[in-house]
């Protein structure tokens, strides 16, 4: 672990086997590689399991209300454009309750990076249906399986003429680092979706260990280097502008 | 400088700039929009936000980043901001929020004035705290108390409200704002990008969440409450006109007090300007009078609080929002 993580706060509160730990460690490595530190960067999170992310970083950080990480980040960036402002939060936080802010901050092309940890449900509150849940997903509030399509994050993130969208997983560490690094270096609004599953609440599939989860992600997702619309099981970077 | 014709909203714009405003985010709403319009021309960092939830979140972020920050709205937008106001209290972020009240609920009579958000300003958010709030009654006071609101926000490190209403916001008066001299409180909160502080909406101690520590919560709450009320003590603004010929004290505030003060021959008059936290001074002053009447443009919201605060019955004259005729006031006050 590098010194961009608050060692004294370890172990993190996350469940055993939850990939958030891997993401945190690699995120800190990416920041170090880019020369970001407490002198020039601020991390902002919303509420949820992922919302705890900001508090583990060894730099000024803000843990906002549910869904409001993006507008708080936009306020910070607009007030002090010299700061590198990075949002790390959950899918429910960013695309459910906070969806409107995602639409408008991306349209205004605010120079921030948003990293969305998409575990396809509301983790912290116990595993309810999220806008990202797949058709058929059984959750605490969709016992018969979700009847509707999940929100199209790729579509939303590429709505504007100028855009940066990347999809990756914590099982593909080099790719995940590349996505985070390019997104943070991108001038303007950039969005990274990190696809994962909730080790504790996921019903389909069920995972026994973190290793099972990573292996599942590894076989499920394939990398493409092409700058084009990604298929359901593809990872890659789409950028324009 | 010569006097100029200025309205309440413009005076708020000028007061905010005088106080050192560095960031504004907002969403248009009658009767507050001119504040946003005025500030869009001022050259400060400015965002046309997607809604009032974003506006309040942005001003919180900008304030943490080191800029004195403000947003302005009316009742419906103020309701949307209540979530963010709770966050600003928990994280101790100085921000100024203007609420120019109109007749509600909902869209109600949006172009007419009311004072229907008094209880919303008192306890509108979740959790347990009272924000400092000022309610001017003239254009010059809009300027003055906007500056004081910024000072109080810096001193108490919390959100501070400036309440106005559709009539005061749009009232033109001839004023020389440059002649108003108020010293400014500077920031002592270091801006983001200078350490490894963690600002969080969770109960926390030195950035470390304390989400199961009820004893610490009680300590934290008490010390916050004390700090807030000590800071508020430096802003004890009110107007009191004694009347030895009357055993009745009439309390009113904001724009309505301009009409109520016409009755100074008949009654003693009191007008809170720092409307929250409730002024201790009212306790002492009210003891001299047999009857206390509260007149307000709502259904007795402030009277309800004062009754509990003073532990005595108050005669209520709830004139509600909209246009108010002086005869209606006379009828209410004199029992005619
Ligand atoms: C206004 C508001 N509504 C609801 C909640 C309860 N809540 C806390 S976290 C959360 C969901 C978090 O899900 P997600 O953003 O996907 O993050 P995860 O926990 O899965 O990492 C909810 C609904 C809240 N804190 N605030």
């Amino acid at each position: 672990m590098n010194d961009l993580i608050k060692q004294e706060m370890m172990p993190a509160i996350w469940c055993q086997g939850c990939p958030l730990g891997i993401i945190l460690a690699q995120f800190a490595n990416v920041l170090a590689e880019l020369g970001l530190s407490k002198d020039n960067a601020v991390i902002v999170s919303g509420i949820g399991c992922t919302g705890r992310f900001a508090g583990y970083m060894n730099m000024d950080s803000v843990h906002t209300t549910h869904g409001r990480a993006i507008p708080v980040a936009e306020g910070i960036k607009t007030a002090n454009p010299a700061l590198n402002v990075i949002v790390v939060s959950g899918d429910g936080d960013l695309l459910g309750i906070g969806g409107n802010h995602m639409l408008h901050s991306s349209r205004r092309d605010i120079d921030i990076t948003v990293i969305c940890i998409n575990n396809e449900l509301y983790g912290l509150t116990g595993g309810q249906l999220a806008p990202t849940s797949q058709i058929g997903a059984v959750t605490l509030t969709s016992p018969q399986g979700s009847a509707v399509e999940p929100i199209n994050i790729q579509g939303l993130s590429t709505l504007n003429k100028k855009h940066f969208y990347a999809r990756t997983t914590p099982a593909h560490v080099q790719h995940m680092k590349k996505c985070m690094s390019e997104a943070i270096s991108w001038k303007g609004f950039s969005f990274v979706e990190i696809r994962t599953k909730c080790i504790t609440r996921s019903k389909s599939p069920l995972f026994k260990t973190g290793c099972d989860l990573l292996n599942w992600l590894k076989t499920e997702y394939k990398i493409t280097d092409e700058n084009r619309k990604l298929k359901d099981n593809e990872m890659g970077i789409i950028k324009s502008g | 400088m010569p006097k100029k014709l200025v309205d309440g909203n413009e005076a708020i714009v000028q007061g905010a700039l005088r106080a050192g405003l560095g960031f504004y985010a907002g969403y248009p709403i009658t009767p507050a929009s001119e504040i946003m319009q005025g500030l869009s021309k001022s050259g400060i960092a400015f965002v046309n936000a997607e809604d009032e939830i974003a506006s309040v979140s942005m001003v919180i972020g900008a304030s943490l980043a080191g800029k004195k920050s403000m947003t302005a709205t009316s009742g419906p937008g103020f309701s949307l901001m209540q979530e963010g106001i709770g966050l600003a209290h928990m994280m101790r972020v100085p921000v100024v929020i203007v609420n120019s009240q109109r007749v509600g609920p909902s869209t109600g009579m949006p172009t007419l004035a009311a004072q229907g958000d008094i209880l919303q300003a008192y306890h509108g958010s979740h959790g347990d705290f009272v924000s400092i709030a000022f309610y001017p009654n003239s254009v010059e006071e809009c300027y003055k108390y906007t500056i004081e609101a910024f000072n109080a926000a810096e001193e108490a490190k919390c959100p501070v409200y400036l309440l106005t209403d559709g009539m005061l916001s749009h009232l033109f008066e001839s004023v020389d704002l440059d002649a108003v001299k108020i010293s400014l409180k500077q920031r002592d909160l270091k801006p983001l990008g200078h350490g490894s502080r963690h600002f969080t909406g969770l109960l926390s101690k030195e950035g470390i969440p304390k989400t199961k520590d009820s004893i610490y919560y009680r300590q934290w709450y008490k010390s916050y409450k004390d700090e807030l009320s000590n800071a508020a003590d430096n802003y004890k603004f009110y107007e009191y006109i004694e009347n030895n010929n009357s055993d009745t004290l009439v309390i009113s505030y904001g724009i309505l007090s301009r009409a109520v003060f016409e009755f100074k021959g008949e009654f003693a008059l009191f007008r809170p300007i720092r409307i929250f936290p409730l002024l201790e001074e009212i306790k002492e002053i009210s003891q001299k009078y047999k009857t206390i009447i509260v007149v307000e443009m709502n259904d007795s919201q402030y009277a309800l609080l004062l009754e509990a605060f003073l532990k005595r019955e108050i005669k209520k004259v709830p004139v509600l929002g909209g246009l108010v005729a002086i005869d209606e006031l006379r009828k209410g006050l004199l029992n005619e």
Side-chain angles (χ1 to χ4, degrees):
Chain A
M1 279 198 304
N2 73 29
D3 61 7
L4 292 181
I5 292 176
K6 285 184 172 152
Q7 313 286 344
E8 68 276 16
M9 299 278 291
M10 296 293 122
I13 53 149
W14 299 315
C15 302
Q16 197 174 0
C18 172
L20 274 166
I22 299 174
I23 299 169
L24 178 73
Q26 295 310 330
F27 177 70
N29 286 337
V30 168
L31 295 196
E33 285 161 24
L34 292 173
L36 300 191
S37 70
K38 58 175 67 158
D39 300 322
N40 55 18
V42 175
I43 312 302
V44 185
S45 290
I47 299 295
C49 297
T50 314
R52 288 300 194 96
F53 207 95
Y56 294 123
M57 296 303 296
N58 197 11
M59 50 184 60
D60 280 345
S61 60
V62 191
H63 183 209
T64 68
T65 36
H66 192 27
R68 314 303 166 211
I70 290 179
V72 169
E74 182 167 345
I76 295 168
K77 183 71 187 181
T78 311
N80 183 0
L83 288 172
N84 293 279
V85 185
I86 305 166
V87 170
V88 186
S89 212
D91 48 293
D93 187 82
L94 293 165
L95 297 151
I97 190 165
N100 197 28
H101 310 308
M102 158 76 191
L103 273 184
H104 291 277
S105 286
S106 66
R107 179 178 61 82
R108 289 188 289 263
D109 199 29
I110 304 305
D111 187 13
I112 61 174
T113 294
V114 178
I115 297 178
C116 171
I117 317 301
N118 180 5
N119 59 7
E120 300 178 354
L121 48 71
Y122 290 137
L124 186 77
T125 41
Q128 296 86 354
L129 188 82
T132 45
S133 301
Q134 302 290 338
I135 284 195
V138 174
T139 71
L140 289 182
T141 53
S142 59
Q144 263 81 50
S146 172
V148 291
E149 284 284 344
I151 194 164
N152 179 353
I153 301 183
Q154 169 173 220
L156 274 176
S157 305
T158 54
L159 269 177
N160 304 299
K161 213 181 285 166
K162 179 171 168 232
H163 56 255
F164 181 107
Y165 167 74
R167 185 194 292 153
T168 185
T169 89
H172 302 80
V173 168
Q174 293 314 320
H175 187 261
M176 180 171 74
K177 282 181 68 184
K178 178 173 170 269
C179 291
M180 296 200 267
S181 180
E182 279 199 31
I184 294 168
S185 307
W186 181 260
K187 289 277 157 274
F189 190 90
S190 54
F191 194 94
V192 180
E193 177 190 3
I194 301 185
R195 283 269 175 98
T196 179
K197 287 276 183 178
C198 177
I199 182 105
T200 308
R201 312 291 181 190
S202 165
K203 297 260 191 321
S204 50
L206 278 170
F207 300 107
K208 281 210 187 68
T209 66
C211 201
D212 288 350
L213 198 165
L214 292 174
N215 280 329
W216 182 85
L217 289 170
K218 218 165 191 111
T219 46
E220 195 76 2
Y221 288 95
K222 299 283 173 274
I223 296 174
T224 174
D225 291 327
E226 288 171 52
N227 184 8
R228 55 146 173 83
K229 189 168 180 229
L230 302 174
K231 297 193 197 107
D232 282 349
N233 64 341
E234 271 183 337
M235 299 178 296
I237 296 175
I238 317 179
K239 52 189 173 183
S240 156
Chain B
M1 287 284 258
K3 289 192 169 189
K4 271 196 263 181
L5 263 186
V6 174
D7 73 358
N9 280 348
E10 174 62 16
I12 292 168
V13 167
Q14 295 305 326
L17 293 172
R18 176 72 192 88
L21 182 74
F23 179 88
Y24 183 94
Y27 189 86
I29 185 167
T30 302
S33 300
E34 296 84 4
I35 298 170
M36 183 177 180
Q37 289 156 206
L39 287 168
S40 73
K41 299 180 238 168
S42 69
I44 61 162
F46 179 94
V47 184
N48 279 287
E50 54 272 25
D51 57 37
E52 291 85 349
I53 300 176
S55 308
V56 73
S57 304
M58 286 175 192
V59 300
I60 290 170
S63 180
L64 286 172
K67 292 259 189 340
K68 287 187 179 177
S69 302
M70 178 174 97
T71 183
T73 186
S74 187
F78 195 51
S79 295
L80 288 182
M81 289 180 188
Q82 294 300 335
E83 175 198 55
I85 289 165
L87 177 69
H89 273 283
M90 198 48 148
M91 298 200 308
R92 302 292 304 273
V93 188
V95 295
V96 172
I97 298 171
V98 180
N99 177 3
S100 179
Q101 298 159 92
R102 60 192 211 177
V103 185
S106 189
T107 313
M109 298 200 287
T111 62
L112 296 183
Q115 301 180 319
D117 301 345
I118 298 303
L119 285 176
Q120 193 181 194
Y122 186 68
H123 260 328
S125 192
H126 48 288
D128 211 1
F129 54 79
V130 175
S131 298
I132 297 171
F134 300 99
Y135 200 155
N137 80 348
S138 69
V139 170
E140 183 173 306
E141 281 195 6
C142 283
Y143 179 79
K144 203 168 146 187
Y145 292 110
T146 299
I147 301 173
E148 295 291 8
F150 278 94
N151 282 347
E154 293 302 327
E155 196 163 341
K157 295 192 182 61
C158 71
V160 170
Y161 307 148
L162 183 89
L163 298 178
T164 164
D165 53 69
M167 203 175 297
L168 182 56
S169 277
H170 293 153
L171 174 74
F172 277 89
E173 293 187 286
S174 174
V175 287
D176 177 6
L177 298 179
D178 292 326
V180 179
K181 302 283 180 228
I182 299 172
S183 56
L184 303 182
K185 278 257 146 9
Q186 296 311 325
R187 261 294 148 95
D188 60 11
L189 181 70
K190 263 194 304 169
L192 290 174
H194 284 90
S196 37
R197 296 162 297 170
H198 185 48
F199 296 91
T200 170
L202 293 173
L203 179 70
S204 64
K205 197 178 195 171
E206 276 133 35
I208 301 186
K210 294 273 173 220
T211 55
K212 304 262 188 220
D213 193 339
S214 309
I215 293 172
Y216 176 62
Y217 172 71
R218 290 180 168 84
Q219 290 165 355
W220 169 85
Y221 181 77
K222 187 178 178 318
S223 75
Y224 179 29
K225 190 173 172 178
D226 289 348
E227 271 178 55
L228 200 145
S229 81
N230 289 340
D233 278 350
N234 297 326
Y235 301 86
K236 287 182 184 172
F237 303 119
Y238 59 89
E239 190 180 355
Y240 169 45
I241 302 182
E242 250 186 304
N243 186 336
N244 294 324
N245 301 322
S246 172
D247 59 3
T248 300
L249 178 70
V250 178
I251 300 177
S252 61
Y253 50 84
I255 192 68
L256 189 68
S257 64
R258 296 284 286 270
V260 173
F261 274 47
E262 297 288 314
F263 294 89
K264 62 173 173 281
E266 287 99 324
F267 305 106
L269 300 165
F270 185 86
R271 169 172 78 99
I273 300 172
R274 195 206 75 201
I275 185 161
F276 296 128
L278 293 167
L279 287 159
E280 286 294 326
E281 284 66 19
I282 306 181
K283 282 187 178 158
E284 208 188 298
I285 292 169
S286 62
Q287 273 168 14
K288 294 198 212 149
Y289 299 94
K290 219 174 84 195
T291 307
I292 297 175
I293 303 178
V294 176
V295 203
E296 46 192 333
M297 292 171 76
N298 59 46
D299 197 1
S300 306
Q301 298 188 17
Y302 196 66
L304 187 77
L305 294 173
L306 275 191
E307 246 172 12
F309 188 62
L310 302 177
K311 300 192 179 64
R312 59 186 280 191
E313 204 174 313
I314 285 175
K315 187 180 162 202
K316 302 171 189 84
V317 182
V319 296
L320 305 184
L323 296 177
V324 179
I326 197 93
D327 283 346
E328 194 183 340
L329 284 180
R330 174 165 293 126
K331 224 162 89 189
L333 292 172
L334 300 171
N335 272 336
E336 278 172 8

